[in-house]
């Protein structure tokens, strides 16, 4: 089965105060930075998990509003099979990191392969179709995020640079990123 790119675009963006997926970074919405890295990593099919009509990707709506990312992952896996997932607010995720996650997934027996920089990144990784039952059991117990469900042995790890996994959650973080990109001659 082919792996599908899945960009997490749901949520309220309450700390940012506006939709993060649509925020323009060097003339492109942040969601397109992530989707671009997924394309560069070799994925042909990419969808948005949640989000609004301003997103240029096909959108799979969240069936249970405000229930956290775990339900979104479960439904995406059930519908699409293997997914490579990354939030829209991680615009500097690299195609190299995504390729490494996909390669690890091809040889790993674990149902999940996650990025780890300064900490484990449960929303940046490959979720194989075989992970659905594990995640569903956690959701049934009342968990709402994969970090509360996954245990050692459920996932393999690919090391990442901190910048590749940095979430941009606030206007201050966004402005700092804009400044950093402009001072590095246009980013990537």
């Amino acid at each position: 089965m082919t792996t599908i790119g899945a960009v997490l675009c749901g949520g309220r963006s309450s700390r940012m105060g506006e939709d993060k997926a649509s925020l323009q970074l060097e003339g492109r919405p942040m969601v397109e930075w992530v989707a671009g890295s997924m394309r560069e990593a070799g994925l042909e099919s990419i969808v948005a998990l949640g989000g609004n009509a301003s997103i240029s990707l096909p959108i799979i709506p969240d069936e249970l509003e405000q229930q956290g990312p775990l339900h979104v992952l479960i439904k995406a896996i059930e519908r699409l099979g293997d997914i490579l997932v990354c939030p829209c607010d991680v615009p500097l995720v690299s195609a190299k990191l995504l390729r490494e996650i996909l390669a690890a997934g091809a040889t790993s027996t674990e149902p999940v392969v996650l990025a780890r920089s300064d900490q484990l990144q449960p929303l940046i990784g490959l979720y194989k179709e075989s992970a659905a039952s594990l995640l569903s059991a956690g959701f049934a117990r009342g968990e709402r995020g994969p970090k509360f469900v996954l245990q050692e042995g459920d996932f393999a790890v690919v090391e990442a640079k901190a910048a590749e996994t940095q979430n941009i959650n606030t206007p201050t973080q966004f402005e700092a990123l804009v400044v950093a990109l402009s001072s590095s001659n246009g980013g990537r």
Side-chain angles (χ1 to χ4, degrees):
M1 179 175 272
T2 303
T3 301
I4 306 294
V7 184
L8 288 164
C9 296
R12 293 181 297 235
S13 297
S14 56
R15 289 180 281 175
M16 183 63 74
E18 61 185 295
D19 178 48
K20 290 188 275 187
S22 302
L23 277 176
Q24 296 289 312
L25 186 60
E26 293 193 342
R28 290 189 303 162
M30 281 208 306
V31 66
E32 282 301 320
W33 284 67
V34 176
S37 291
M38 288 181 170
R39 284 185 202 96
E40 197 178 321
L43 297 180
E44 294 178 17
S45 186
I46 302 167
V47 300
L49 301 180
N52 62 49
S54 70
I55 295 171
S56 63
L57 300 171
I59 297 172
I60 297 177
D62 188 1
E63 296 171 10
L64 292 178
E65 293 283 323
Q66 307 306 319
Q67 288 296 307
L70 187 57
H71 182 263
V72 173
L73 289 175
I74 294 165
K75 291 302 176 187
I77 294 166
E78 288 173 350
R79 182 172 180 176
L80 304 170
D82 295 354
I83 59 171
L84 179 65
V85 67
C86 183
C88 67
D89 61 1
V90 184
L92 299 184
V93 67
S94 71
K96 177 182 180 287
L97 173 61
L98 298 177
R99 279 192 299 271
E100 289 173 358
I101 290 170
L102 290 168
T107 60
S108 166
T109 58
E110 292 89 353
V112 178
V113 178
L114 299 176
R116 177 176 57 204
S117 53
D118 52 340
Q119 62 186 4
L120 193 62
Q121 301 292 327
L123 296 178
I124 303 174
L126 173 67
Y127 283 83
K128 299 177 187 178
E129 194 168 9
S130 59
S133 60
L134 168 74
L135 299 176
S136 293
F139 189 80
R141 288 192 311 268
E143 302 300 349
R144 294 300 177 253
K147 70 180 176 181
F148 302 113
V149 175
L150 298 172
Q151 298 176 13
E152 288 294 324
D154 293 335
F155 58 90
V157 171
V158 171
E159 295 300 328
K161 297 175 184 149
E164 292 177 298
T165 63
Q166 179 188 7
N167 287 85
I168 306 301
N169 290 314
T170 66
T172 302
Q173 290 171 333
F174 184 74
E175 288 305 317
L177 179 59
V178 169
V179 168
L181 288 175
S182 66
S183 69
S184 69
N185 298 323
R188 54 181 177 167

